[in-house]
Amino acid sequence: MRKKYIIANWKMSPLSLRQAESLFNKIKKGLPRLKNVSVIICPPLVYLAELMRSYSGRRIIFGAQNSFWENVGPFTGELSPHQLFELGAEYVILGHSERRALGETNSLVNKKIKAAAGAGLNVVFCIGEKERDERGDYLGFIEKEIKEGLAGFSREKLGRLLIAYEPIWAIGRAGDEAASSDLLHQMKIFILKILKSLYGERGMEVPIIYGGASAPENARELLSEGEVRGLLVGHQSLIPENFIEIIKIADSLK
Ligand code: 13P
């Protein structure tokens, strides 16, 4: 049985540490014993250290939503992957479309990915097209995101890589507007082929997960028929009972 990943991206919510603690505690209390799922929570950075400090359990793993491409130095306001690792965070989300919309390019994402994996973090590398066109140009776009994002990323570090396919047109939508499981399955195969061309058979072992309007009502289909290894959950991860339901569904599947 291959492990699944259910990753919460809280983005820039909630508005106070008290609310963050309350959300975290509800998730913590509601989590069943899991056989087959890693639960990773990526809160805003201002809450990360405090949530980690207050949690002594092992069922929840922590991650960040961004990190810089250098570990130390005169980079006002940036977040060192080494510092994150030292804090005990294990994952970082990189290349998210909401950061690309603020100006992150493939080459910048590439530098961040290499620095984060080099610092010992597991990288959730996000890719995804803005829209689909009939000619299939979006496939070229995805291929470029992957190839430029992973330029110079060594095979030895592949164990620290997950790829999150997050079509921008599905992000933030209602559950019935997520990618269909057919489409997701096709994209998974497409992404794995590119990874195989870059890394050979070893590339095929990189977990491919999905993000974009994932919710309790579509989680089963996305995971079992889309055949992805997990979900990167945005707004539904802010609703504890829904996030827990998604985790339970993932854990019930083979
Ligand atoms: P939603 O689940 O809110 O669509 O967000 C997906 C996402 O961007 C996760 O990184």
Side-chain angles (χ1 to χ4, degrees):
M1 218 193 262
R2 298 217 286 176
K3 191 166 68 170
K4 294 200 172 54
Y5 302 84
I6 302 295
I7 307 177
N9 179 5
W10 286 1
K11 306 191 179 181
M12 211 167 70
S13 291
L15 274 173
S16 70
L17 176 60
R18 213 157 57 91
Q19 289 170 12
E21 285 171 336
S22 160
L23 171 58
F24 181 78
N25 286 333
K26 284 180 189 157
I27 293 171
K28 183 176 80 177
K29 286 207 182 90
L31 268 192
R33 191 168 292 282
L34 298 168
K35 299 185 295 289
N36 193 32
V37 173
S38 288
V39 177
I40 297 139
I41 296 188
C42 304
L45 188 67
V46 285
Y47 308 140
L48 185 66
E50 183 57 24
L51 293 178
M52 289 181 70
R53 193 193 56 74
S54 69
Y55 180 66
S56 55
R58 297 178 148 258
R59 290 187 199 177
I60 297 173
I61 300 167
F62 289 91
Q65 300 172 17
N66 184 29
S67 61
F68 195 54
W69 62 76
E70 295 282 357
N71 282 314
V72 67
F75 304 105
T76 303
E78 290 298 344
L79 172 60
S80 153
H82 182 82
Q83 290 167 0
L84 268 179
F85 181 80
E86 280 296 312
L87 188 68
E90 294 182 39
Y91 285 78
V92 63
I93 298 170
L94 292 173
H96 195 283
S97 57
E98 289 155 11
R99 295 205 56 82
R100 293 178 189 263
L102 297 173
E104 284 198 11
T105 58
N106 286 341
S107 85
L108 212 144
V109 173
N110 171 254
K111 291 205 278 184
K112 290 186 169 193
I113 290 175
K114 288 190 282 196
L121 296 168
N122 298 300
V123 174
V124 182
F125 171 28
C126 300
I127 55 169
E129 76 283 3
K130 197 164 179 191
E131 54 196 10
R132 304 207 136 207
D133 54 293
E134 283 181 7
R135 285 198 321 203
D137 287 351
Y138 67 92
L139 292 172
F141 177 85
I142 298 276
E143 182 167 357
K144 196 163 158 31
E145 279 193 325
I146 298 173
K147 289 191 168 161
E148 293 185 3
L150 294 179
F153 186 85
S154 71
R155 177 171 295 146
E156 290 67 46
K157 296 260 168 30
L158 279 181
R160 297 211 179 118
L161 182 71
L162 283 80
I163 293 195
Y165 171 59
E166 292 208 309
I168 298 170
W169 45 265
I171 292 177
R173 300 303 182 100
D176 59 358
E177 292 179 78
S180 70
S181 52
D182 272 0
L183 181 150
L184 180 55
H185 191 237
Q186 285 166 17
M187 289 310 295
K188 181 193 113 162
I189 292 169
F190 179 71
I191 294 163
L192 286 177
K193 272 195 185 149
I194 296 168
L195 291 173
K196 188 173 179 194
S197 78
L198 295 174
Y199 297 104
E201 288 301 320
R202 179 67 190 82
M204 307 280 283
E205 287 165 32
V206 172
I208 311 298
I209 67 171
Y210 169 78
S214 49
E217 67 259 35
N218 59 29
R220 183 176 304 277
E221 199 176 323
L222 288 168
L223 289 166
S224 59
E225 284 160 41
E227 285 186 20
V228 284
R229 295 275 303 280
L231 298 171
L232 180 52
V233 188
H235 63 280
Q236 294 285 330
S237 71
L238 299 170
I239 306 171
E241 52 282 14
N242 289 5
F243 186 58
I244 288 162
E245 184 59 27
I246 293 171
I247 293 166
K248 285 182 179 165
I249 292 167
D251 201 45
S252 72
L253 298 171
K254 276 205 217 105

